[in-house]
Amino acid sequence: MAQLALKKLALSITLGLSLTGTAIAVPPAHEIDELPELKQEDQHSVVSQRVTTYFTRYHFKNMELDNELSERILDRYLEMLDYNKMILLREDVEQAAEYKHLFDDMIHSGKLSPAYALFDKALQRNYQRYEYALSLLDKEQPFDFTVADDRYHYDREDADWASSKAELDELWRQRVKYDALNLTMTGKEWPDVVETLEKRYNNALKRLTQTNSEDVFQTVMNAFARSVEAHTSYLSPANSERFEQNMNLSLEGIGAVLQSDYDYTVIRSLVPGGPADKNGNIAPDDRVVGVAQGDEEDAEFVDIIGWRLDEVVELIKGPKGSTVQLQVLKADQSASATPKVVKIVRDEVKLEDRAAKVDIKTMEEGPYKGRTLGVITVPSFYHNVSEDVKRLIAESEEAGAEGVIMDLRTNGGGSLQEAIRLTGLFIDSGPVVQVADGSGRREVNGDRDDMTYYNGPLVVMIDRYSASASEIFAAAMQDYERALIVGENTYGKGTVQQHRGLQRRFDFFDEPLGSVQYTIAKFYRINGGSTQLKGVAPDITFPTVTDVEEFGESSLENALPWDKLDTATYETVNLLAEEKLQQLRQLSQQNIAANPEFNYVMEDAAEYQREKAKTWVSLVLAEREAEQKADEAKRLARMNERLLRAGFEPVEKLEDVPEDYEAPDPYLNETLVLSFELIDSMKIAMQ
């Protein structure tokens, strides 16, 4: 052991000297022999067989675990082990190919030794990569950030596997230099940059040493699950417990759903009414890069880039009333931007805080001055939301509102029955949604009370975060021609999942067995088309930065396809004629073209398309600083234009924006205009 340590030290010194001339590389805090010897646990064989039964016998797709699926599972497994092709060598992948027709047999029988061997190889390669990353760090001699055309190729999804260690070394040289450059651009001095990266990479090594057998098993099972379908998954005992507790609602925390996106922890969604939602400084797609405890200004932040998601969750969770500070990179910011510090007081999410709300909007200027609409925001389809909406409609009418806007933006769904009941408020009776299982059995669910609660003008707002039950409601309103649908194309989740625990009454295992979630049915509109994949296309589309193909269901691998059933029997309400709809579209296009806020959106969309085509980022400090300054100048210029339009004085820095300034919502403002046009057209039609 001592000889091995001496050899490694000598190698580290040699690497350091060869890279910097006089430097000694930062040593790893953990040795490679600290990596665990991972072996399949007794219960995994039984769990694997039970998972196989659920995924093949009861899944919507009725798939067979055969050689074709086996090849896909191996490909997905390798992707999960090395998503960006920066860990494994081509020879490792070629050796793994001998298992391409064995994964089905392994999973079916529960004998997973080859999968553990592949994971062990990836674990060793991971260690070697972080060891090499540490060898590049030197507190005395910074990287040269002036080398022309030096780039970090961060997107290697379509790249070939590296054929040699030297090729991997170059990729990691780029990655380490990229990390160092990002920290340098936040204002850190070089010794602090090295210290931060030393901690980050040694933390990564520590996490490698903490890998356990369940990590391997979970990876294998989810390679299987995701090869079947996008919303099918295996939940380890720990994740299963979180699922049962509905962690983000019932536990004390910040009320945010997190997901791992490669090295980053990303805000997937905010729980309506939760602490993060109320705070107002965090939004979906933002990245959390640091966490500190307490509300002190000098609180020490923990760098969480590269952390496991469950470790990040444990760091952010905490007792009610305590404060957590997050360093947040906004969705539109680069990794080199200075993260914003957001303080959040942890709390429980109360039902009344996430309930539907109404905002009575009275137009203050323009041709509709003095006229009023009720804007009802529905954050989710929770129990009894339809009763709450009935009350809010009554409040709107009492306030003199001429019509109602239902705002379903960022509404990720919820109860199917509540989607049906909510639809029933706006129609007499009829079908609302069709559900079909894998065998073709069809069920038509609908409203049967023969009573319309509200028959006035109705507009529904949707966006790419509107999913599931939101799409069912919006689709029904569109098919009945009961409401005008405006906004963005919805997410496109038209599938039904079932959750099942894997424990059996007479099991005698010491450890819990986890659970599975798998798709059992699909939702279909009453016009026959599925909401799956395509979602709901609005009658009038507003500009957006990203495409639904980049974010929605259609961006997921192995998502179930769109298809069509027979049309259900229903009669349309005919809210407005096609001719009037075309007039509204033309009016909206004119309004959007003249609205500076939408011009910003379209500029950002064009920039997004340009950036999307790139797979690299410059490692030249001057180039990156110029890009950052240009971005900051653009954001400041836009803010000052907004402030002037709102009657405020311009500011010199974004931090100086007055606290009483309220950012505009161009999507809602345009919807208000279209709503009044719709109302006026309905009045004319009734004369």
Side-chain angles (χ1 to χ4, degrees), residues 451-503:
M451 182 174 65
T452 300
Y453 180 78
Y454 174 76
N455 59 10
L458 179 66
V459 177
V460 178
M461 296 185 70
I462 54 177
D463 67 6
R464 65 184 183 276
Y465 298 104
S466 305
S468 195
S470 295
E471 296 175 288
I472 290 169
F473 173 77
M477 292 295 93
Q478 190 175 58
D479 290 343
Y480 275 108
E481 298 180 17
R482 174 62 186 88
L484 178 69
I485 315 297
V486 302
E488 302 174 307
N489 204 103
T490 60
Y491 187 89
K493 185 183 182 298
T495 56
V496 186
Q497 279 71 47
Q498 190 166 68
H499 181 252
R500 286 286 182 266
L502 295 169
Q503 206 86 27

Side-chain angles (χ1 to χ4, degrees), residues 216-236:
V216 186
F217 185 74
Q218 180 173 249
T219 305
V220 177
M221 289 298 102
N222 276 317
F224 176 23
R226 291 295 192 265
S227 298
V228 173
E229 187 259 342
H231 294 288
T232 295
S233 60
Y234 162 76
L235 286 75
S236 68

Side-chain angles (χ1 to χ4, degrees), residues 284-389:
D285 297 334
D286 289 350
R287 291 157 289 167
V288 181
V289 297
V291 179
Q293 308 300 330
D295 60 358
E296 294 80 7
E297 294 299 326
D298 59 350
E300 182 178 355
F301 280 89
V302 177
D303 179 278
I304 62 166
I305 295 176
W307 278 41
R308 291 165 56 120
L309 184 61
D310 55 355
E311 293 176 328
V312 176
V313 169
E314 288 302 317
L315 203 58
I316 293 177
K317 278 195 320 185
K320 177 181 177 180
S322 62
T323 299
V324 62
Q325 298 187 52
L326 307 180
Q327 288 178 328
V328 177
L329 285 174
K330 303 303 290 180
D332 61 348
Q333 286 183 302
S334 69
S336 60
T338 301
K340 182 177 184 178
V341 175
V342 179
K343 292 184 180 181
I344 301 177
V345 178
R346 300 178 177 104
D347 198 357
E348 292 180 354
V349 178
K350 302 178 180 65
L351 179 61
E352 59 268 26
D353 290 335
R354 62 186 181 96
K357 294 178 173 62
V358 66
D359 186 8
I360 306 301
K361 292 285 188 180
T362 300
M363 303 298 279
E364 297 179 356
E365 56 185 23
Y368 316 106
K369 184 176 181 179
R371 298 176 66 177
T372 300
L373 283 169
V375 180
I376 299 175
T377 302
V378 181
S380 68
F381 282 82
Y382 57 88
H383 180 60
N384 273 344
V385 65
S386 54
E387 289 300 313
D388 287 347
V389 171

Side-chain angles (χ1 to χ4, degrees), residues 8-229:
K8 289 181 65 176
L9 179 58
L11 176 62
S12 296
I13 292 173
T14 302
L15 281 169
L17 289 171
S18 64
L19 288 164
T20 63
T22 59
I24 297 178
V26 174
H30 299 272
E31 301 291 340
I32 194 168
D33 56 10
E34 293 180 51
L35 294 178
E37 293 184 13
L38 299 170
K39 295 181 180 179
Q40 182 176 337
E41 297 178 12
D42 293 340
Q43 72 272 18
H44 288 157
S45 179
V46 172
V47 173
S48 184
Q49 294 173 44
R50 290 178 184 174
V51 170
T52 299
T53 298
Y54 278 114
F55 289 177
T56 57
R57 188 177 300 175
Y58 303 123
H59 196 280
F60 180 89
K61 293 178 74 170
N62 294 313
M63 294 189 66
E64 286 189 27
L65 186 52
D66 54 16
N67 284 345
E68 181 183 351
L69 182 56
S70 181
E71 291 183 21
R72 297 210 299 271
I73 295 171
L74 174 59
D75 288 343
R76 182 56 59 89
Y77 188 53
L78 291 171
E79 180 184 324
M80 295 172 81
L81 294 178
D82 185 7
Y83 71 90
N84 215 21
K85 299 177 182 174
M86 291 185 65
I87 304 296
L88 298 173
L89 290 166
R90 183 185 300 166
E91 65 184 62
D92 301 326
V93 177
E94 290 173 348
Q95 290 173 7
E98 66 181 271
Y99 301 128
K100 68 179 181 179
H101 291 159
L102 294 179
F103 258 77
D104 54 337
D105 300 319
M106 287 191 296
I107 290 171
H108 188 271
S109 65
K111 298 176 181 178
L112 303 169
S113 296
Y116 276 75
L118 284 175
F119 197 101
D120 183 65
K121 172 64 73 174
L123 208 57
Q124 294 181 49
R125 296 293 194 207
N126 252 300
Y127 179 92
Q128 293 165 359
R129 289 298 96 214
Y130 281 108
E131 183 182 40
Y132 179 73
L134 286 164
S135 77
L136 300 177
L137 299 176
D138 171 24
K139 291 185 180 180
E140 301 299 326
Q141 298 191 34
F143 286 122
D144 183 358
F145 295 123
T146 66
V147 179
D149 297 324
D150 200 7
R151 298 172 174 177
Y152 170 43
H153 294 266
Y154 60 85
D155 185 354
R156 291 180 41 78
E157 181 180 359
D158 298 324
D160 294 328
W161 296 94
S163 59
S164 66
K165 178 179 175 295
E167 191 175 341
L168 281 180
D169 286 349
E170 171 57 15
L171 293 173
W172 276 78
R173 180 199 67 80
Q174 296 173 11
R175 186 238 167 112
V176 175
K177 190 172 182 180
Y178 169 77
D179 289 345
L181 178 56
N182 288 342
L183 291 171
T184 299
M185 293 180 65
T186 64
K188 286 184 180 290
E189 296 296 328
W190 182 250
D192 295 327
V193 169
V194 173
E195 183 180 356
T196 299
L197 293 183
E198 180 181 357
K199 288 181 180 179
R200 184 183 298 179
Y201 299 156
N202 273 317
N203 279 334
L205 288 178
K206 180 182 178 181
R207 288 190 293 277
L208 293 178
T209 67
Q210 295 172 336
T211 306
N212 57 49
S213 178
E214 184 61 40
D215 293 326
V216 186
F217 185 74
Q218 180 173 249
T219 305
V220 177
M221 289 298 102
N222 276 317
F224 176 23
R226 291 295 192 265
S227 298
V228 173
E229 187 259 342

Side-chain angles (χ1 to χ4, degrees), residues 410-478:
T410 72
N411 184 321
S415 167
L416 172 63
Q417 289 305 313
E418 284 299 328
I420 294 171
R421 292 189 185 105
L422 190 63
T423 303
L425 299 182
F426 305 103
I427 61 172
D428 286 338
S429 63
V432 173
V433 62
Q434 304 185 81
V435 184
D437 63 20
S439 65
R441 287 191 295 264
R442 181 181 74 153
E443 180 179 338
V444 181
N445 297 303
D447 172 60
R448 296 178 175 83
D449 62 5
D450 293 321
M451 182 174 65
T452 300
Y453 180 78
Y454 174 76
N455 59 10
L458 179 66
V459 177
V460 178
M461 296 185 70
I462 54 177
D463 67 6
R464 65 184 183 276
Y465 298 104
S466 305
S468 195
S470 295
E471 296 175 288
I472 290 169
F473 173 77
M477 292 295 93
Q478 190 175 58

